[in-house]
Amino acid sequence: LSANGHVSSALVHDCKITAICYSPNNRKLAACGMDRVVRLFNDQGEPVDKFSTKPADKGPKTYVVKAMHFSPDSTKLAIAQSDNIVFVYKLGLEWGDKKSICNKFL
């Protein structure tokens, strides 16, 4: 769903979307499905980037992403998971910047 209300065909997944949020600067949309992959879209609803989330512990991936929230400056994304952890990912200022975990809360 873009800022103008149109649904992007890139949002169609083979799985259910479990969390979605807009950035405070209204330039990014983050969506995550049961596949635990965060897809990032620009303000036109076009897919621009994606990254896989990480489990709290090594082993089988049985968790679900329950919620996401951008930082006030839109450069970080907090992701709450059903395995009782919140990871904060640094997204960077530009599309394509390396995504990395910069904090975690148990």
Side-chain angles (χ1 to χ4, degrees):
L1 184 64
S2 66
N4 62 11
H6 293 97
V7 176
S8 170
S9 61
L11 274 177
V12 177
H13 291 279
D14 292 337
C15 59
K16 176 183 162 187
I17 292 177
T18 59
I20 191 165
C21 67
Y22 267 113
S23 62
N25 66 5
N26 292 323
R27 298 187 63 207
K28 297 176 184 174
L29 172 77
C32 188
M34 292 295 291
D35 60 358
R36 297 172 295 277
V37 174
V38 175
R39 289 169 175 78
L40 298 171
F41 300 84
N42 64 18
D43 56 355
Q44 301 300 310
E46 300 163 335
V48 179
D49 209 348
K50 67 180 181 178
F51 64 94
S52 295
T53 57
K54 308 292 183 217
D57 297 313
K58 294 186 188 228
K61 291 186 174 184
T62 58
Y63 67 92
V64 175
V65 171
K66 303 298 271 177
M68 298 188 296
H69 192 79
F70 277 95
S71 64
D73 65 359
S74 302
T75 62
K76 295 180 182 135
L77 183 64
I79 299 178
Q81 302 175 182
S82 64
D83 54 355
N84 299 319
I85 195 163
V86 175
F87 284 113
V88 179
Y89 289 82
K90 181 179 177 186
L91 303 179
L93 296 172
E94 302 294 326
W95 294 111
D97 283 353
K98 183 180 176 184
K99 314 303 180 261
S100 61
I101 296 171
C102 62
N103 213 335
K104 66 181 176 180
F105 302 93
L106 300 172

